[in-house]
Amino acid sequence: MPGAVALGSNELASYPCDIDGQIPTSGIYRLVGNISIRTFTCPSGHQYTDQNDGG
């Protein structure tokens, strides 16, 4: 995944997991065109993404 950046703990805490509300154990951020995509891994092993197209 080119351009992926690991998220810090403060950023992880801002994006609780979508199924159980737990703070993700890890997350990465990447920019695809003008869309920012964050991918998180929850303590349960569940993964989810958060997209922001700037609009």
Side-chain angles (χ1 to χ4, degrees):
M1 220 177 304
V5 177
L7 296 174
S9 56
N10 288 346
E11 290 170 293
L12 293 175
S14 298
Y15 293 91
C17 286
D18 58 353
I19 55 169
D20 56 14
Q22 297 295 306
I23 294 174
T25 54
S26 64
I28 58 172
Y29 166 89
R30 62 192 166 113
L31 199 57
V32 178
N34 62 346
I35 301 173
S36 62
I37 301 175
R38 294 171 178 84
T39 302
F40 302 95
T41 302
C42 304
S44 64
H46 172 71
Q47 287 193 319
Y48 76 103
T49 58
D50 177 83
Q51 293 187 25
N52 185 338
D53 60 8

